[in-house]
Amino acid sequence: MLFNSDKCHILHLGHRNARYEYTMEGRVLEAVESEKDVGVIVHQSLKPSLQCARAAGRANAILGQLSRAVGYRDKNTFLKLYKTYVRPHLEYAVTSWSPWSVGDKEVLERVQRRAL
């Protein structure tokens, strides 16, 4: 299997990492601070803040679309719409980026409070 060196990046993890430069096919690979893999953003500090903010933003956008699109807001109907369209964005691969800081949890819970 051949690798495309234009699409390869280096993600240095840890404080004591020497941050060496790596080459592939004679080209120096670009070092990045965060990388998206299978829909989850991994930051070099391994904190889920960026993933939480992006998930909350996406969920807020969908919640706004639902609010504008649905004229009659029956509680049961809107709860089903929330569980179908908004909650999957908040829970996608949550086991891999589980938020542990109070600020990250607050960002996600703010979306839930806005919905109800």
Side-chain angles (χ1 to χ4, degrees), residues 3-46:
F3 288 102
N4 186 349
S5 62
D6 293 332
K7 294 181 180 180
C8 294
H9 304 286
I10 302 297
L11 182 65
H12 296 287
L13 300 174
H15 298 291
R16 296 183 183 185
N17 192 321
R19 301 190 186 282
Y20 294 114
E21 286 188 350
Y22 295 94
T23 59
M24 181 183 285
E25 298 174 0
R27 302 177 79 190
V28 177
L29 296 178
E30 177 188 4
V32 294
E33 288 188 12
S34 62
E35 188 67 30
K36 187 174 183 179
D37 187 27
V38 195
V40 177
I41 300 170
V42 179
H43 193 266
Q44 65 185 6
S45 66
L46 294 178

Side-chain angles (χ1 to χ4, degrees), residues 42-108:
V42 179
H43 193 266
Q44 65 185 6
S45 66
L46 294 178
K47 292 183 180 176
S49 299
L50 190 57
Q51 176 69 25
C52 291
R54 182 141 324 151
R58 195 175 303 125
N60 268 325
I62 294 172
L63 189 59
Q65 290 173 352
L66 283 176
S67 298
R68 287 188 298 273
V70 178
Y72 176 68
R73 285 193 181 190
D74 178 28
K75 187 173 183 177
N76 291 331
T77 305
F78 199 75
L79 190 61
K80 287 179 185 178
L81 289 172
Y82 171 80
K83 286 181 179 180
T84 303
Y85 294 109
V86 178
R87 209 161 111 186
H89 291 281
L90 297 174
E91 295 178 350
Y92 177 74
V94 76
T95 53
S96 65
W97 58 271
S98 178
W100 64 82
S101 70
V102 175
D104 293 340
K105 289 179 184 179
E106 184 67 30
V107 167
L108 296 174

